[in-house]
Amino acid sequence: MQPAIRVTELLKSFGPSRALDRVTLEIMPGEMVALIGASGSGKSTLLRHLAGLVLADRDSRSEIEVNGQLVQKSGRLAANIREVRESIGFVFQQFNLVGRLPVITNVMAGMLTRVPLWRSLTRWFHASEYSQGLEALARVGMAERAAQRASTLSGGQQQRAAIARTLVQRAKVVLADEPIASLDPESSRRVMDILSTINREDHCTVVVSLHQVNVAIKYCPRTIALRRGQVVFDGPSERLTPAMLRELYGAEADEILDLPDHISLLQDRRDNVAPLPSIQAAQAG
Amino acid sequence: MAATAPLPLAATANLPKTSWSTLLVWGAVLGLLALSWQGADMRPADLVRDSGNMAKYAADFFPPNFANWQLYLKEMLVTLQIALWGTALAVLCSIPLGLLAASNITPWWIHQPVRRVMDAFRAINEMVFAMLFVVAVGLGPFAGVLALWIHTTGTLAKLFSEAVEAIDPQPVEGIRATGAQKLEEIVYGVIPQVMPLWVSYTLYRFEANVRSASVVGMVGAGGIGVVLWEIIRGFYYAETAAVLLIIIVTVTLIDFASGRLRRTLI
Ligand SMILES: Nc1ncnc2c1ncn2[C@@H]1O[C@H](COP(=O)(O)OP(=O)(O)O)[C@@H](O)[C@H]1O
Ligand SMILES: [Mg+2]
């Protein structure tokens, strides 16, 4: 089977400092992988490279493929990058929704590559297309918010709308850059649950960068750990014991260990929450 | 003890003081004004000496003569129509030009030349454009529309591009990440962010253009300005007062209405 994500010898420097240092990794379709590391370790930079939002160093052999398609090579974007991005959903820490647009329009943006340009520029979507957007919103529990301006939503709601956009996009790979770092515990749990559901039911490959290792262990079978731009661990999440983390990070380990595990505080309630509405409908649409 | 000790010299250096540079600035301003006295033909004594004449001149304006009010209102309406079309055409051009002039949208070899052309449009007063267009397309309102169009495009495109340069890039990146192309990034990510400012600038310019449109007529470019020019030249002061009052009331009403509109839209 061909990997969903293949990164080879990725080098990225900002001026003299090296943000990513020969990162090489492969992620198979359907995996749910956590990307952990202290702040400044290169998590965002790595994820942004995967979507072609940042270019690797020109004089390097850096190469990135997603879904078997080239994203960038030696610091040059693939010619068909927009086509490649269509299958990559990106979820940002700051949500990156357009605040003045209604939630549904933000979600419909996931469909821009599928409708003719004159329709996308005039925001002319057919009823069947709108119903795909509404279905995606329903799956993240946001259907009743469709007409509201995105800026009037809470952080957790905005993040769920952003995930709905990746559903409309029918992304095969979802990259989430610290999606819960700006959220309260309850919203964090919902967002992680939704990502996990997408992974399970839609067979999306999910890579989620996290600040806290306990969340990674809870949701992701595999973890990749970065330290100063280098991959220092890549394996089963349960091997990330406090001892292991101290070994990997030294004193920095406290930053990833000592944060209160706000998601596990909700563990009891989690079992009482109804499962997400089913997903097959959106797949068929 | 330490508190009562005299401050060391280094510390007093940081205290605010009436510095030489402040005095220098004031001196320079006064010097410039003095140098310009002759060039500007300043004759304050004449104001006092001729005050009797001036009072008589002012008295000639009253009471205003509204006998021709139908003509005045008709021409005032033409003035508003000139302002409306001049502004509308300018907005239409300023949308693409404002985007092209924004450094976060286009590379320097596009935004720099566009900006220079806009600078030129702005640098030349609409009265000058009006004179040029009167020669090109003949006397009448159309010359006024063209003049306002060009000058306003220079102003609005600059304001529009400044609004574009101040946007939050994150939502645009969110759109880009879906695979959207540049035009879609602009329509979904940029335009919604700048819309309130763009609308507000447009209304401001419309207000300004109503004022400008009432004078472009003085060089023959249509509207109330034509009437104004003729009655001033004919020494019809009571009629001049009537026209000026109509202009003041109209401009005030437009400012008020557009101000209200601006506040509801933002
Ligand atoms: N646009 C940029 N310009 C300069 N330095 C950057 C830029 N983006 C990231 N960096 C640097 O790259 C390193 C990795 O940053 P980042 O990927 O944001 O880390 P993380 O997401 O793990 O917190 C940091 O040292 C950061 O300062
Ligand atoms: Mg980050």
Side-chain angles (χ1 to χ4, degrees):
Chain A
M1 196 162 42
Q2 140 181 296
I5 295 172
R6 192 211 305 268
V7 178
T8 322
E9 297 267 325
L10 178 55
L11 266 182
K12 177 63 181 181
S13 317
F14 289 109
S17 73
R18 187 157 278 183
L20 292 173
D21 193 0
R22 276 167 295 148
V23 171
T24 296
L25 52 89
E26 273 189 10
I27 294 171
M28 298 310 280
E31 277 195 275
M32 176 136 179
V33 180
L35 192 60
I36 63 160
S39 67
S41 58
K43 304 181 294 294
S44 303
T45 307
L46 173 57
L47 289 174
R48 290 161 55 78
H49 272 89
L50 296 180
L53 297 173
V54 187
L55 289 174
D57 289 350
R58 272 286 172 123
D59 49 4
S60 68
R61 298 185 19 226
S62 312
E63 187 173 334
I64 295 174
E65 277 178 24
V66 175
N67 298 319
Q69 290 177 290
L70 187 70
V71 171
Q72 55 172 296
K73 186 174 181 173
S74 302
R76 284 176 182 79
L77 275 182
N80 63 338
I81 181 66
R82 294 205 302 268
E83 220 171 280
V84 184
R85 276 186 194 140
E86 188 185 351
S87 65
I88 305 174
F90 208 109
V91 177
F92 299 84
Q93 178 179 345
Q94 295 304 332
F95 330 124
N96 292 17
L97 299 179
V98 185
R100 292 181 56 86
L101 290 181
V103 173
I104 185 69
T105 311
N106 272 287
V107 171
M108 297 309 282
M111 206 180 290
L112 296 182
T113 49
R114 291 208 295 278
V115 303
L117 188 63
W118 71 267
R119 282 215 284 125
S120 74
L121 293 185
T122 51
R123 295 189 202 155
W124 177 309
F125 297 106
H126 294 156
S128 63
E129 289 163 345
Y130 270 123
S131 68
Q132 288 175 47
L134 289 171
E135 229 163 89
L137 278 173
R139 281 190 61 197
V140 298
M142 294 273 299
E144 74 284 8
R145 304 277 179 190
Q148 218 170 307
R149 267 192 189 179
S151 59
T152 62
L153 299 179
S154 72
Q157 292 169 329
Q158 291 197 41
Q159 198 59 297
R160 285 188 277 144
I163 296 175
R165 176 156 78 192
T166 71
L167 292 175
V168 167
Q169 223 178 305
R170 297 179 190 149
K172 291 214 225 35
V173 169
V174 172
L175 308 174
D177 187 12
E178 301 214 34
I180 60 170
S182 318
L183 303 184
D184 61 87
E186 172 65 23
S187 305
S188 300
R189 184 195 55 74
R190 285 194 82 163
V191 164
M192 286 308 296
D193 284 352
I194 290 169
L195 287 175
S196 162
T197 309
I198 291 174
N199 168 252
R200 250 190 348 267
E201 298 179 3
D202 301 30
H203 312 291
C204 271
T205 312
V206 176
V207 184
V208 51
S209 79
L210 295 164
H211 208 75
Q212 306 108 311
V213 72
N214 36 37
V215 182
I217 293 170
K218 195 159 300 154
Y219 285 94
C220 307
R222 173 179 168 194
T223 294
I224 296 171
L226 286 176
R227 185 189 186 190
R228 293 181 197 159
Q230 290 181 321
V231 175
V232 289
F233 173 89
D234 182 354
S237 302
E238 69 255 17
R239 275 184 50 212
L240 287 170
T241 56
M244 176 65 132
L245 284 165
R246 292 244 155 64
E247 195 185 313
L248 294 175
Y249 287 101
E252 287 169 39
D254 296 340
E255 187 184 334
I256 1 191
L257 272 174
D258 285 355
L259 287 166
D261 176 3
H262 59 244
I263 286 191
S264 73
L265 297 175
L266 289 157
Q267 192 66 37
D268 306 337
R269 269 204 272 162
R270 187 179 164 190
D271 304 326
N272 303 331
V273 171
L276 286 171
S278 171
I279 302 191
Q280 277 79 332
Q283 289 238 294
Chain B
M1 284 324 271
T4 56
L7 285 167
L9 206 61
T12 56
N14 292 326
L15 293 175
K17 58 191 179 236
T18 351
S19 65
W20 283 107
S21 59
T22 315
L23 286 177
L24 217 65
V25 169
W26 279 109
V29 170
L30 292 176
L32 264 179
L33 285 170
L35 277 176
S36 310
W37 182 271
Q38 207 134 45
D41 186 25
M42 295 296 288
R43 289 178 281 119
D46 287 13
L47 276 180
V48 182
R49 200 182 58 220
D50 297 341
S51 58
N53 285 342
M54 306 267 291
K56 223 165 92 221
Y57 178 55
D60 288 345
F61 282 82
F62 294 98
N65 179 353
F66 283 98
N68 248 336
W69 63 274
Q70 277 168 318
L71 170 73
Y72 303 158
L73 285 189
K74 197 183 116 238
E75 289 304 313
M76 194 66 228
L77 184 65
V78 170
T79 300
L80 289 182
Q81 289 165 333
I82 294 172
L84 200 61
W85 268 104
T87 312
L89 292 173
V91 168
L92 221 57
C93 296
S94 297
I95 292 170
L97 288 169
L99 288 164
L100 289 173
S103 59
N104 53 345
I105 303 283
T106 55
W108 67 268
W109 48 268
I110 294 182
H111 67 247
Q112 285 300 345
V114 172
R115 280 182 199 181
R116 295 296 83 78
V117 174
M118 293 305 108
D119 288 347
F121 283 2
R122 216 169 41 250
I124 299 166
N125 189 283
E126 46 270 81
M127 287 294 268
V128 179
F129 278 125
M131 286 190 256
L132 295 174
F133 282 121
V134 163
V135 176
V137 302
L139 289 169
F142 189 50
V145 170
L146 296 179
L148 291 187
W149 176 15
I150 304 290
H151 182 80
T152 307
T153 300
T155 323
L156 269 189
K158 180 186 161 70
L159 291 171
F160 279 14
S161 75
E162 279 170 3
V164 170
E165 285 175 350
I167 59 164
D168 176 2
Q170 292 188 331
V172 185
E173 192 168 59
I175 301 291
R176 181 177 313 147
T178 67
Q181 48 181 296
K182 192 93 186 180
L183 272 176
E184 293 167 328
E185 283 175 31
I186 288 169
V187 166
Y188 284 81
V190 179
I191 304 275
Q193 290 194 61
V194 295
M195 209 45 169
L197 268 182
W198 280 14
V199 169
S200 160
Y201 290 150
T202 299
L203 288 171
Y204 268 125
R205 279 317 302 185
F206 175 64
E207 293 165 31
N209 278 347
V210 174
R211 292 188 284 271
S212 303
S214 39
V215 291
V216 289
M218 302 190 98
V219 295
I224 194 81
V226 177
V227 178
L228 193 59
W229 181 232
E230 276 162 11
I231 56 184
I232 290 178
R233 262 196 325 188
F235 305 109
Y236 299 112
Y237 297 126
E239 286 79 356
T240 305
V243 169
L244 288 179
L245 277 175
I246 287 177
I247 294 178
I248 291 171
V249 169
T250 311
V251 167
T252 309
L253 283 178
I254 294 283
D255 281 9
F256 178 75
S258 128
R260 287 289 291 268
L261 193 58
R262 238 184 300 127
R263 275 190 294 282
T264 56
L265 284 174
I266 295 173

